[in-house]
Short mmCIF file of all heavy atoms in Angstrom, two decimals:
data_model
loop_
_atom_site.label_atom_id
_atom_site.label_comp_id
_atom_site.label_asym_id
_atom_site.label_seq_id
_atom_site.Cartn_x
_atom_site.Cartn_y
_atom_site.Cartn_z
N SER A 204 194.75 270.47 -18.15
CA SER A 204 194.66 269.09 -17.69
C SER A 204 193.64 268.30 -18.51
O SER A 204 193.84 267.11 -18.80
CB SER A 204 194.28 269.04 -16.20
OG SER A 204 195.31 269.58 -15.40
N LEU A 205 192.53 268.94 -18.90
CA LEU A 205 191.54 268.27 -19.73
C LEU A 205 192.11 267.96 -21.11
O LEU A 205 191.85 266.89 -21.68
CB LEU A 205 190.28 269.13 -19.86
CG LEU A 205 189.39 269.20 -18.62
CD1 LEU A 205 188.31 270.25 -18.80
CD2 LEU A 205 188.75 267.83 -18.33
N LEU A 206 192.88 268.90 -21.67
CA LEU A 206 193.51 268.63 -22.96
C LEU A 206 194.45 267.43 -22.85
O LEU A 206 194.42 266.53 -23.70
CB LEU A 206 194.29 269.86 -23.43
CG LEU A 206 195.16 269.69 -24.68
CD1 LEU A 206 194.31 269.29 -25.88
CD2 LEU A 206 195.93 270.97 -24.96
N GLU A 207 195.27 267.40 -21.82
CA GLU A 207 196.19 266.27 -21.64
C GLU A 207 195.43 264.97 -21.46
O GLU A 207 195.82 263.92 -22.00
CB GLU A 207 197.08 266.53 -20.43
CG GLU A 207 198.12 267.61 -20.64
CD GLU A 207 199.04 267.75 -19.45
OE1 GLU A 207 198.60 268.33 -18.44
OE2 GLU A 207 200.18 267.27 -19.52
N ALA A 208 194.33 265.02 -20.70
CA ALA A 208 193.55 263.81 -20.47
C ALA A 208 192.92 263.29 -21.77
O ALA A 208 192.70 262.09 -21.93
CB ALA A 208 192.45 264.07 -19.44
N GLY A 209 192.64 264.21 -22.71
CA GLY A 209 192.03 263.82 -23.97
C GLY A 209 193.01 263.40 -25.04
O GLY A 209 192.59 262.98 -26.13
N LEU A 210 194.32 263.52 -24.77
CA LEU A 210 195.32 263.12 -25.75
C LEU A 210 195.77 261.69 -25.47
O LEU A 210 196.23 261.39 -24.37
CB LEU A 210 196.54 264.05 -25.67
CG LEU A 210 196.35 265.50 -26.12
CD1 LEU A 210 197.60 266.31 -25.83
CD2 LEU A 210 196.02 265.57 -27.61
N PRO A 211 195.68 260.79 -26.44
CA PRO A 211 196.19 259.44 -26.21
C PRO A 211 197.70 259.45 -26.07
O PRO A 211 198.38 260.41 -26.45
CB PRO A 211 195.76 258.68 -27.47
CG PRO A 211 195.53 259.73 -28.50
CD PRO A 211 195.09 260.96 -27.78
N ALA A 212 198.25 258.38 -25.51
CA ALA A 212 199.68 258.33 -25.23
C ALA A 212 200.51 258.53 -26.48
O ALA A 212 201.53 259.22 -26.46
CB ALA A 212 200.02 256.99 -24.57
N GLU A 213 200.07 257.96 -27.61
CA GLU A 213 200.87 258.11 -28.84
C GLU A 213 200.89 259.56 -29.32
O GLU A 213 201.86 260.01 -29.93
CB GLU A 213 200.35 257.20 -29.95
CG GLU A 213 198.96 257.50 -30.46
CD GLU A 213 197.86 256.78 -29.69
OE1 GLU A 213 198.14 256.30 -28.57
OE2 GLU A 213 196.74 256.70 -30.22
N ALA A 214 199.82 260.31 -29.04
CA ALA A 214 199.79 261.71 -29.44
C ALA A 214 200.76 262.54 -28.59
O ALA A 214 201.46 263.42 -29.11
CB ALA A 214 198.38 262.27 -29.31
N ARG A 215 200.80 262.25 -27.29
CA ARG A 215 201.70 263.03 -26.42
C ARG A 215 203.16 262.81 -26.78
O ARG A 215 203.99 263.69 -26.55
CB ARG A 215 201.44 262.65 -24.96
CG ARG A 215 200.06 263.09 -24.47
CD ARG A 215 199.96 263.02 -22.96
NE ARG A 215 200.04 261.66 -22.45
CZ ARG A 215 198.99 260.87 -22.30
NH1 ARG A 215 197.78 261.28 -22.63
NH2 ARG A 215 199.14 259.65 -21.82
N GLY A 216 203.49 261.67 -27.37
CA GLY A 216 204.87 261.43 -27.76
C GLY A 216 205.15 261.75 -29.22
O GLY A 216 206.28 261.52 -29.68
N TRP A 217 204.16 262.29 -29.95
CA TRP A 217 204.32 262.50 -31.39
C TRP A 217 205.08 263.77 -31.77
O TRP A 217 205.98 263.73 -32.60
CB TRP A 217 202.95 262.48 -32.06
CG TRP A 217 203.00 262.67 -33.54
CD1 TRP A 217 203.22 261.72 -34.49
CD2 TRP A 217 202.84 263.90 -34.24
NE1 TRP A 217 203.20 262.30 -35.74
CE2 TRP A 217 202.97 263.62 -35.62
CE3 TRP A 217 202.59 265.22 -33.84
CZ2 TRP A 217 202.86 264.61 -36.60
CZ3 TRP A 217 202.49 266.21 -34.82
CH2 TRP A 217 202.62 265.89 -36.18
N PRO A 218 204.72 264.95 -31.22
CA PRO A 218 205.32 266.18 -31.77
C PRO A 218 206.78 266.34 -31.39
O PRO A 218 207.23 265.94 -30.32
CB PRO A 218 204.47 267.29 -31.14
CG PRO A 218 203.96 266.71 -29.87
CD PRO A 218 203.77 265.23 -30.13
N GLU A 219 207.52 266.97 -32.30
CA GLU A 219 208.90 267.36 -32.05
C GLU A 219 208.99 268.84 -31.70
O GLU A 219 210.06 269.31 -31.31
CB GLU A 219 209.76 267.05 -33.28
CG GLU A 219 209.83 265.57 -33.60
CD GLU A 219 210.56 265.28 -34.88
OE1 GLU A 219 210.24 265.92 -35.91
OE2 GLU A 219 211.45 264.40 -34.87
N ALA A 220 207.89 269.56 -31.82
CA ALA A 220 207.82 270.96 -31.42
C ALA A 220 206.36 271.35 -31.29
O ALA A 220 205.48 270.76 -31.92
CB ALA A 220 208.54 271.87 -32.41
N ILE A 221 206.10 272.37 -30.46
CA ILE A 221 204.77 272.96 -30.31
C ILE A 221 204.85 274.38 -30.86
O ILE A 221 205.79 275.12 -30.58
CB ILE A 221 204.33 273.00 -28.84
CG1 ILE A 221 204.28 271.60 -28.22
CG2 ILE A 221 202.99 273.71 -28.68
CD1 ILE A 221 203.15 270.74 -28.69
N VAL A 222 203.83 274.78 -31.63
CA VAL A 222 203.72 276.15 -32.12
C VAL A 222 202.35 276.67 -31.73
O VAL A 222 201.33 276.09 -32.14
CB VAL A 222 203.90 276.22 -33.65
CG1 VAL A 222 203.77 277.67 -34.13
CG2 VAL A 222 205.25 275.65 -34.08
N ALA A 223 202.31 277.73 -30.94
CA ALA A 223 201.04 278.31 -30.52
C ALA A 223 200.55 279.28 -31.58
O ALA A 223 201.34 279.93 -32.27
CB ALA A 223 201.20 279.04 -29.19
N VAL A 224 199.23 279.41 -31.70
CA VAL A 224 198.65 280.45 -32.56
C VAL A 224 198.99 281.80 -31.94
O VAL A 224 198.57 282.08 -30.81
CB VAL A 224 197.13 280.27 -32.68
CG1 VAL A 224 196.51 281.45 -33.41
CG2 VAL A 224 196.81 278.97 -33.41
N PRO A 225 199.75 282.65 -32.64
CA PRO A 225 200.20 283.90 -32.01
C PRO A 225 199.19 285.03 -32.16
O PRO A 225 198.46 285.11 -33.15
CB PRO A 225 201.48 284.22 -32.79
CG PRO A 225 201.21 283.68 -34.16
CD PRO A 225 200.35 282.45 -33.97
N LEU A 226 199.17 285.90 -31.17
CA LEU A 226 198.45 287.16 -31.28
C LEU A 226 199.35 288.20 -31.94
O LEU A 226 200.58 288.12 -31.83
CB LEU A 226 198.05 287.68 -29.90
CG LEU A 226 196.93 286.95 -29.14
CD1 LEU A 226 196.79 287.54 -27.75
CD2 LEU A 226 195.62 287.03 -29.89
N HIS A 227 198.76 289.16 -32.62
CA HIS A 227 199.54 290.29 -33.09
C HIS A 227 200.01 291.07 -31.85
O HIS A 227 199.27 291.18 -30.86
CB HIS A 227 198.69 291.18 -33.99
CG HIS A 227 199.45 292.28 -34.65
ND1 HIS A 227 199.64 293.52 -34.07
CD2 HIS A 227 200.10 292.33 -35.85
CE1 HIS A 227 200.35 294.28 -34.88
NE2 HIS A 227 200.64 293.59 -35.98
N PRO A 228 201.25 291.61 -31.87
CA PRO A 228 201.76 292.32 -30.68
C PRO A 228 200.82 293.41 -30.16
O PRO A 228 200.66 293.57 -28.95
CB PRO A 228 203.08 292.91 -31.17
CG PRO A 228 203.53 291.98 -32.25
CD PRO A 228 202.27 291.52 -32.92
N GLN A 229 200.17 294.15 -31.06
CA GLN A 229 199.25 295.20 -30.61
C GLN A 229 198.05 294.60 -29.90
O GLN A 229 197.61 295.10 -28.86
CB GLN A 229 198.80 296.04 -31.81
CG GLN A 229 197.85 297.18 -31.42
CD GLN A 229 197.46 298.02 -32.62
OE1 GLN A 229 198.06 297.92 -33.68
NE2 GLN A 229 196.43 298.85 -32.47
N ARG A 230 197.52 293.50 -30.45
CA ARG A 230 196.37 292.84 -29.82
C ARG A 230 196.77 292.25 -28.46
O ARG A 230 196.01 292.33 -27.49
CB ARG A 230 195.84 291.74 -30.74
CG ARG A 230 194.54 291.08 -30.28
CD ARG A 230 193.36 292.01 -30.40
NE ARG A 230 193.18 292.46 -31.78
CZ ARG A 230 192.48 291.79 -32.69
NH1 ARG A 230 191.90 290.64 -32.38
NH2 ARG A 230 192.32 292.28 -33.90
N ALA A 231 197.97 291.68 -28.38
CA ALA A 231 198.43 291.11 -27.11
C ALA A 231 198.59 292.21 -26.06
O ALA A 231 198.27 292.01 -24.88
CB ALA A 231 199.75 290.39 -27.32
N GLN A 232 199.08 293.37 -26.49
CA GLN A 232 199.25 294.47 -25.54
C GLN A 232 197.91 294.99 -25.06
O GLN A 232 197.73 295.29 -23.87
CB GLN A 232 200.04 295.60 -26.21
CG GLN A 232 200.39 296.75 -25.27
CD GLN A 232 201.27 297.78 -25.94
OE1 GLN A 232 201.43 297.77 -27.17
NE2 GLN A 232 201.85 298.67 -25.17
N GLU A 233 196.93 295.07 -25.97
CA GLU A 233 195.61 295.55 -25.58
C GLU A 233 194.93 294.57 -24.63
O GLU A 233 194.31 294.98 -23.64
CB GLU A 233 194.75 295.74 -26.84
CG GLU A 233 195.20 296.89 -27.72
CD GLU A 233 194.45 296.90 -29.05
OE1 GLU A 233 193.66 295.95 -29.29
OE2 GLU A 233 194.68 297.84 -29.84
N ARG A 234 195.04 293.29 -24.94
CA ARG A 234 194.36 292.28 -24.12
C ARG A 234 195.09 292.02 -22.82
O ARG A 234 194.49 291.76 -21.79
CB ARG A 234 194.20 290.98 -24.92
CG ARG A 234 193.43 289.91 -24.19
CD ARG A 234 193.31 288.66 -25.03
NE ARG A 234 192.47 288.87 -26.21
CZ ARG A 234 192.23 287.93 -27.12
NH1 ARG A 234 192.78 286.73 -27.00
NH2 ARG A 234 191.45 288.17 -28.14
N GLY A 235 196.43 292.06 -22.87
CA GLY A 235 197.22 291.80 -21.68
C GLY A 235 197.36 290.34 -21.33
O GLY A 235 197.91 290.00 -20.29
N PHE A 236 196.87 289.45 -22.21
CA PHE A 236 196.93 288.03 -21.90
C PHE A 236 196.87 287.25 -23.20
O PHE A 236 195.99 287.47 -24.04
CB PHE A 236 195.77 287.62 -21.00
CG PHE A 236 195.73 286.15 -20.65
CD1 PHE A 236 196.80 285.55 -20.01
CD2 PHE A 236 194.63 285.37 -20.97
CE1 PHE A 236 196.78 284.20 -19.69
CE2 PHE A 236 194.59 284.03 -20.65
CZ PHE A 236 195.68 283.45 -20.01
N ASP A 237 197.80 286.33 -23.40
CA ASP A 237 197.87 285.48 -24.58
C ASP A 237 197.53 284.06 -24.14
O ASP A 237 198.38 283.33 -23.66
CB ASP A 237 199.27 285.55 -25.19
CG ASP A 237 199.42 284.67 -26.42
OD1 ASP A 237 198.46 283.97 -26.77
OD2 ASP A 237 200.51 284.67 -27.01
N GLN A 238 196.27 283.67 -24.31
CA GLN A 238 195.80 282.40 -23.75
C GLN A 238 196.44 281.20 -24.45
O GLN A 238 196.80 280.22 -23.79
CB GLN A 238 194.28 282.31 -23.79
CG GLN A 238 193.65 282.17 -25.14
CD GLN A 238 193.49 283.50 -25.86
OE1 GLN A 238 193.80 284.55 -25.31
NE2 GLN A 238 192.99 283.45 -27.08
N ALA A 239 196.60 281.26 -25.77
CA ALA A 239 197.21 280.13 -26.47
C ALA A 239 198.68 279.98 -26.08
O ALA A 239 199.18 278.86 -25.89
CB ALA A 239 197.08 280.31 -27.99
N GLY A 240 199.39 281.11 -25.94
CA GLY A 240 200.78 281.05 -25.51
C GLY A 240 200.92 280.50 -24.10
O GLY A 240 201.85 279.75 -23.80
N TRP A 241 200.00 280.86 -23.22
CA TRP A 241 200.00 280.37 -21.83
C TRP A 241 199.89 278.85 -21.83
O TRP A 241 200.65 278.15 -21.14
CB TRP A 241 198.84 281.00 -21.07
CG TRP A 241 198.84 280.84 -19.59
CD1 TRP A 241 199.28 281.73 -18.66
CD2 TRP A 241 198.31 279.71 -18.85
NE1 TRP A 241 199.07 281.22 -17.39
CE2 TRP A 241 198.48 280.00 -17.47
CE3 TRP A 241 197.74 278.50 -19.20
CZ2 TRP A 241 198.10 279.11 -16.47
CZ3 TRP A 241 197.35 277.62 -18.21
CH2 TRP A 241 197.52 277.93 -16.86
N LEU A 242 198.94 278.33 -22.59
CA LEU A 242 198.76 276.88 -22.66
C LEU A 242 199.97 276.21 -23.31
O LEU A 242 200.43 275.17 -22.83
CB LEU A 242 197.50 276.55 -23.47
CG LEU A 242 196.15 276.93 -22.85
CD1 LEU A 242 195.04 276.80 -23.88
CD2 LEU A 242 195.84 276.08 -21.62
#
Side-chain angles (χ1 to χ4, degrees):
S204 294
L205 287 171
L206 173 60
E207 289 184 284
L210 292 173
E213 65 271 17
R215 293 194 294 271
W217 181 84
E219 296 174 311
I221 300 288
V222 180
V224 172
L226 288 175
H227 187 272
Q229 181 178 347
R230 187 70 59 87
Q232 185 175 13
E233 291 171 355
R234 184 180 293 179
F236 179 58
D237 179 357
Q238 70 278 357
W241 192 97
L242 292 168

